[in-house]
Amino acid sequence: MKFRKSAVAAVIAAAALSMTTAFPASAATVSDLPAAVTAYEGEEDLPRVKSEAEAANYFLQEFKKHNTNIDFLITEPEDDDYERISDRITSCLKGFSGIPDEGVYLSMEATTRASSIYPTKDGFRFTCTSTFITTVEQEAQVTEEIQKIRQTPEFKAAYNDTPYNKIRWAYDYVTRNMVLTDDLMDTDRSSAYSVLFNHEANEEGQIHFLIRLLGEMNVPCEPYVTNLNSLTEDSLDAHFLCIAQIRNYNYFLDPVWDKKLKDTGRNFFMKGYIDLDSKNGGKADFTHIHLFQLFSFGEEVPLEDEMKELGISPNAYPLPEYFSGDINDDGSVNSVDASNVLAEYARLSTSDHTGIFTDKQQKAADVDNNGAIDAVDASKILSYYAYASTNDYPMSIENYLS
């Protein structure tokens, strides 16, 4: 998938220098210290903050305003470690802070970001120049639309569910609604805004939306780039997915390729680095090639070493022993499962009280958790099936029955 050259330039640079960076959304540089502290023209008119904490808050405030040229002085830094100070100021654009519209989501609103910091006679001067792909008004519209999603029964049920089910719901929501465009150089299609209001987006836009949706669920998630196939003056070719965190481990999520495979889905859901492509059907077009593998310069780079640096689990997230109501373990709860429960109930009602369900099937069949498999369980499975059949994003059967 082709996307804008400025965005991927930082990915390439970071990959060449440090193979552990998942996706730096933009280029950020720290200026070399000048030979002597100097007074610069116009400095007396710059905004001034005292502490580094105030500097970080001011930067966040201005970046969220989509200020394309942030320029200010820090008069009382803790020390003269300008690289550390710069990192602290821009920390609001990294990771997940617990606020859904900050962190990497906010960083991805900018197509380019170049920053510098250097000492002056009054402290340190920090500058940041950015080009944004959305407007403040558009991001406000995104938040309004997200609030509507948050009010749906399905979102509320998922929000109160397990972390795994939160991610599964958000992943399914994005995949089912996905209308994918091919040109990743089209900045008008590279954001969550485009997903919600243009009703289509490129790979970057789809991942931007998934990151926001998972952020609303309090699930940390970051973008990840693979399969950089070309780099020319006019085009770039790469692939966007993301990594989500549960219990201090990161797992791969790739809704874009799941959408393109057009089968049962979740082939690239909550995968580790060993089994990421275990369900791609052996198709080369759906095989992930990590950036550090591309930039190994002929040397064999151990996959395990690089993935450990990113905290990626080696294997897929362990699934529950069974899914309530899914007797035949086909990934859905439907009338077939209800029929199986009724047949088992009939067997258990005979004189010898002998059923054929395995231990796993017995647990899945007892949806009301009363220790018995009977017609009530079958009825509740049918009730849930009727509900799920009329909802695009149904809650889990446990939440439905609670």
Side-chain angles (χ1 to χ4, degrees):
M1 287 302 137
K2 295 179 179 179
F3 61 108
R4 54 183 188 279
K5 185 174 182 179
S6 56
V8 81
V11 179
I12 297 168
L17 294 173
S18 172
M19 301 307 175
T20 61
T21 301
F23 174 65
S26 51
T29 60
V30 179
S31 296
D32 292 334
L33 284 170
V37 174
T38 310
Y40 294 89
E41 183 180 353
E43 220 169 68
E44 64 276 2
D45 299 324
L46 290 177
R48 294 171 180 242
V49 297
K50 287 186 177 182
S51 69
E52 294 173 16
E54 290 173 317
N57 288 335
Y58 179 76
F59 176 77
L60 172 61
Q61 166 191 305
E62 294 302 305
F63 201 89
K64 292 187 83 167
K65 289 179 181 177
H66 287 192
N67 185 342
T68 58
N69 187 24
I70 303 171
D71 193 358
F72 62 94
L73 289 170
I74 311 159
T75 60
E76 298 180 13
E78 295 177 9
D79 54 38
D80 61 358
D81 186 345
Y82 57 98
E83 291 190 72
R84 182 194 59 77
I85 296 170
S86 180
D87 286 342
R88 182 172 181 182
I89 290 171
T90 58
S91 61
C92 63
L93 304 180
K94 303 167 187 174
F96 179 63
S97 67
I99 302 175
D101 64 349
E102 295 180 9
V104 293
Y105 175 85
L106 178 60
S107 179
M108 290 178 73
E109 293 172 19
T111 177
T112 60
R113 173 170 58 88
S115 62
S116 63
I117 186 170
Y118 47 85
T120 74
K121 66 182 183 66
D122 294 322
F124 279 94
R125 182 172 179 175
F126 180 86
T127 66
C128 180
T129 303
S130 307
T131 304
F132 293 91
I133 61 175
T134 58
T135 66
V136 173
E137 293 74 21
Q138 286 174 336
E139 289 302 325
Q141 289 178 273
V142 169
T143 296
E144 289 179 8
E145 197 65 22
I146 289 289
Q147 289 305 313
K148 294 177 184 177
I149 295 174
R150 288 181 65 101
Q151 296 308 309
T152 61
E154 293 77 22
F155 181 95
K156 291 179 178 180
Y159 185 85
N160 293 311
D161 213 324
T162 64
Y164 176 86
N165 284 335
K166 287 180 180 181
I167 298 173
R168 184 174 66 168
W169 183 87
Y171 189 88
D172 288 350
Y173 188 98
V174 170
T175 305
R176 291 177 186 174
N177 283 294
M178 187 182 296
V179 179
L180 192 64
T181 61
D182 288 333
D183 187 2
L184 277 138
M185 297 183 75
D186 183 359
T187 58
D188 289 337
R189 296 295 184 271
S190 298
S191 66
Y193 175 84
S194 185
V195 173
L196 292 170
F197 293 94
N198 295 327
H199 307 295
E200 63 178 15
N202 58 31
E203 292 190 10
E204 184 178 4
Q206 302 292 345
I207 295 303
H208 194 217
F209 178 54
L210 178 56
I211 288 171
R212 178 61 184 270
L213 204 57
L214 286 173
E216 299 290 334
M217 296 272 189
N218 291 320
V219 175
C221 185
E222 296 193 23
Y224 190 86
V225 175
T226 65
N227 297 66
L228 181 65
N229 295 323
S230 68
L231 173 59
T232 68
E233 189 64 29
D234 300 319
S235 68
L236 293 160
D237 190 19
H239 174 57
F240 271 88
L241 58 157
C242 60
I243 50 180
Q245 185 181 89
I246 294 184
R247 297 172 185 168
N248 299 319
Y249 267 114
N250 290 320
Y251 297 88
F252 287 112
L253 304 173
D254 191 348
V256 173
W257 279 2
D258 253 332
K259 184 71 173 184
K260 288 188 171 185
L261 279 178
K262 297 179 181 179
D263 60 3
T264 58
R266 300 187 196 148
N267 298 288
F268 304 102
F269 175 72
M270 295 298 288
K271 293 292 188 175
Y273 63 82
I274 292 176
D275 53 19
L276 173 58
D277 297 318
S278 60
K279 292 186 177 180
N280 69 353
K283 299 176 181 177
D285 290 345
F286 295 99
T287 299
H288 296 85
I289 303 173
H290 302 280
L291 291 187
F292 71 84
Q293 294 172 320
L294 293 169
F295 291 96
S296 61
F297 305 107
E299 296 182 10
E300 185 175 348
V301 180
L303 181 64
E304 180 180 1
D305 292 350
E306 299 303 328
M307 292 294 103
K308 278 186 176 180
E309 290 290 332
L310 288 172
I312 306 291
S313 170
N315 300 302
Y317 186 79
L319 294 176
E321 180 187 354
Y322 66 92
F323 287 97
S324 183
D326 184 11
I327 314 305
N328 58 3
D329 201 23
D330 67 348
S332 64
V333 178
N334 51 39
S335 58
V336 174
D337 298 301
S339 296
N340 286 332
V341 170
L342 282 176
E344 180 72 354
Y345 172 53
R347 287 188 289 268
L348 293 172
S349 300
T350 61
S351 57
D352 59 3
H353 306 289
T354 301
I356 63 171
F357 277 5
T358 64
D359 289 344
K360 179 179 178 179
Q361 288 176 316
Q362 289 176 29
K363 293 174 181 177
D366 185 17
V367 294
D368 56 9
N369 296 311
N370 68 349
I373 299 173
D374 52 32
V376 175
D377 294 305
S379 177
K380 290 184 175 182
I381 290 173
L382 282 175
S383 176
Y384 175 76
Y385 172 54
Y387 153 76
S389 298
T390 56
N391 287 270
D392 289 333
Y393 314 104
M395 65 183 77
S396 66
I397 189 171
E398 292 91 344
N399 281 328
Y400 175 78
L401 296 177
S402 63

